[in-house]
Amino acid sequence: MSSSAERVAPRTLRALMALAACSVCVATWAQPKAAAYPGIGRDATPKEVAAWDIDVRPDFKGLPPGSGSVTRGQDVWESKCASCHGVFGESNQVFSPIVGGTTADDIKTGHVARLKDPAFPGRTTLMKVSSLSTVWDYVYRAMPWNQPKSLTPDDVYAVTAYILNLGGIVPDDFTLSDKNIREVQARMPNRNGATTAHAMWPGTEFGRAAKPDVAAVACMHDCVPGEQKVAQLPPHARGSHGNLADQNRLVGAQHGIETAPPAAKAAAPQAAAASKVPTALLEKNSCTACHGMTQKLVGPAFSDIAKKYPGQADHLLQKIKAGGSGVWGAIPMPPQTIADDEAKAIARWLAESAAPSASAAPEGKP
């Protein structure tokens, strides 16, 4: 819960760097020796620590300067966010709604009444989140899904302001900034819905209970026999990201289970197509987050795309670069910021493989 600069101390980062160096068999004997790890690693530079130090705490420590209006936030939202989260934060059948379920009374009390109503159909982000820093920090780190960390601080202030406006927390002409965000925190509908009484927060900023609410006392009598369970993927999910048995190393503690559908494993003609699957490109561009090899995820399966557009590499390239909607369902695909040569390789692979192998994982995102 402390800042990243405090968490990633030079000694800790030296240990991480040492592990990375060992993994690629690179010795760093020429570097200055550290007492804890002689002959391995070095102190992190201020620039390297700063690159990790992007978290924003509930007390807003770490928040960068900037500002953004509701009006600008709507523009950014409609171009970057609405394809997944809906124009008004209502989302769609895949993503949970962000806005809804809060009232003016909730803003006054800081407690969302509908969280205690079992008849209410769902839980939105604004119903659950207690700290505005959580919203700002998550958007800054992880959004948009296909381009995380591409938004500037001003973009994030604007998008956050738009979300707050949709929830009735700030007016239409409001501009959110690092100067007034603490005032807005005082209007969050569920700001009083969390507690620090569990004593898990390490600092004294928000008060501190006498001790954590966990006793850690093991019960060593009248024990119930333990159950041994083995997880198994349901049939509709098998092969979504390739055959795990083919992707894990043959040595070591972790071995992948067989996840390819039986029909795909028996289909010998697809073996040749498997070698052509641009696995690295699909993973690099997060294509497998939305597309399974033979199963529909957020978007259609690669095999279905290939069957629909055989030999149409140019058309597929255009769809990858420009995005589209209405062909495969209600969820649109936003334009992909992908290098031209990588997009061409993915489009060519789809156009040439009428039935991509389910035993290989993809590498791009149509």
Side-chain angles (χ1 to χ4, degrees):
M1 302 293 282
S2 59
S3 73
S4 293
E6 294 167 345
R7 292 200 311 268
V8 187
R11 179 172 295 182
T12 303
L13 191 54
R14 283 201 301 270
L16 295 173
M17 294 175 67
L19 290 175
C22 292
S23 67
V24 295
C25 301
V26 176
T28 56
W29 301 107
Q31 297 290 346
K33 292 186 177 181
Y37 303 96
I40 297 178
R42 60 172 173 78
D43 286 347
T45 66
K47 185 176 181 180
E48 288 169 337
V49 173
W52 284 74
D53 191 16
I54 64 171
D55 64 309
V56 179
R57 300 190 339 178
D59 58 357
F60 299 106
K61 182 177 181 179
L63 188 72
S67 64
S69 67
V70 172
T71 301
R72 180 185 173 188
Q74 182 175 5
D75 293 336
V76 177
W77 180 272
E78 291 179 354
S79 63
K80 302 282 189 179
C81 315
S83 60
C84 291
H85 297 294
V87 175
F88 302 108
E90 76 280 12
S91 295
N92 51 39
Q93 62 262 44
V94 175
F95 301 94
S96 299
I98 294 176
V99 177
T102 59
T103 66
D105 285 340
D106 297 337
I107 294 174
K108 293 178 181 178
T109 64
H111 288 281
V112 176
R114 284 173 174 158
L115 285 175
K116 298 181 180 180
D117 180 5
F120 194 74
R123 301 290 183 263
T124 69
T125 299
L126 288 185
M127 288 175 66
K128 297 181 291 184
V129 68
S130 60
S131 174
L132 183 54
S133 66
T134 302
V135 178
W136 200 101
D137 186 65
Y138 187 77
V139 173
Y140 189 47
R141 289 170 178 268
M143 295 290 112
W145 189 7
N146 62 323
Q147 292 177 273
K149 298 182 182 177
S150 64
L151 298 178
T152 67
D154 287 346
D155 290 337
V156 179
Y157 279 109
V159 166
T160 306
Y162 181 64
I163 294 173
L164 294 169
N165 176 254
L166 290 176
I169 300 170
V170 300
D172 296 346
D173 59 353
F174 188 78
T175 296
L176 180 68
S177 71
D178 58 305
K179 301 295 190 299
N180 63 13
I181 195 169
R182 291 167 180 80
E183 300 171 15
V184 181
Q185 170 63 35
R187 292 178 53 79
M188 291 295 286
N190 199 40
R191 63 187 178 276
N192 296 322
T195 178
T196 58
H198 44 62
M200 300 301 288
W201 180 263
T204 59
E205 297 91 336
F206 308 109
R208 186 177 177 89
K211 63 178 182 178
D213 60 353
V214 289
V217 176
C219 172
M220 301 303 294
H221 58 85
D222 299 328
C223 301
V224 177
E227 297 182 5
Q228 185 174 6
K229 297 181 180 180
V230 178
Q232 184 63 270
L233 291 174
H236 70 272
R238 295 176 67 86
S240 295
H241 295 282
N243 184 24
L244 296 184
D246 295 337
Q247 299 174 31
N248 286 44
R249 295 191 302 170
L250 298 178
V251 296
Q254 303 298 326
H255 297 274
I257 63 173
E258 195 76 33
T259 58
K265 291 295 289 181
Q270 294 184 358
S275 63
K276 300 178 182 178
V277 177
T279 304
L281 290 182
L282 295 175
E283 293 176 352
K284 173 184 176 183
N285 293 286
S286 302
C287 304
T288 51
C290 293
H291 303 278
M293 290 302 295
T294 58
Q295 283 80 23
K296 178 183 183 298
L297 299 179
V298 178
F302 288 116
S303 57
D304 293 335
I305 297 171
K307 291 175 183 177
K308 187 176 181 67
Y309 303 106
Q312 300 182 46
D314 291 342
H315 174 76
L316 289 168
L317 175 62
Q318 188 272 333
K319 298 296 285 186
I320 292 172
K321 298 292 287 187
S325 61
V327 178
W328 298 97
I331 303 175
M333 186 180 94
Q336 303 299 304
T337 54
I338 175 176
D340 289 342
D341 58 337
E342 295 179 355
K344 289 178 182 178
I346 296 169
R348 185 168 57 252
W349 164 65
L350 287 168
E352 294 175 356
S353 56
S357 171
S359 62
E363 223 186 63
K365 183 177 184 176

